[in-house]
Amino acid sequence: MSEDLYLCQKEIRRLRGVVRCYEAQMREMEAYLEQLEERKTLGEEAMQAVHAISDFWRQLQED
């Protein structure tokens, strides 16, 4: 039984690391999308794509 507990604790630690990495990547993506939205040099089509991606990204975060 103690070996099962050890394996569960090890898996929990691994999953916490995965979650931290995922959260960091989400913050980086959000910052990058905000930078793209602020750029004035993008063409209209590119700006529409950035807005569509940003909207989709926000929906993912809400879910």
Side-chain angles (χ1 to χ4, degrees):
M1 183 68 99
S2 65
E3 184 176 338
D4 289 342
L5 180 60
Y6 170 76
L7 292 174
C8 287
Q9 289 174 339
K10 185 176 177 181
E11 183 65 8
I12 288 170
R13 283 192 297 275
R14 185 188 74 78
L15 290 173
R16 284 181 179 156
V18 169
V19 168
R20 282 192 298 273
C21 181
Y22 175 73
E23 288 173 338
Q25 289 175 341
M26 286 183 65
R27 286 190 297 273
E28 287 178 22
M29 177 62 87
E30 187 175 3
Y32 178 70
L33 289 172
E34 287 174 1
Q35 288 175 357
L36 284 178
E37 286 182 317
E38 293 172 359
R39 286 191 182 169
K40 303 297 182 198
T41 58
L42 292 178
E44 183 63 32
E45 188 175 337
M47 188 55 76
Q48 288 176 356
V50 168
H51 287 302
I53 293 169
S54 294
D55 291 343
F56 179 74
W57 186 252
R58 286 183 192 103
Q59 288 174 349
L60 282 177
Q61 290 178 315
E62 291 173 1
D63 294 340

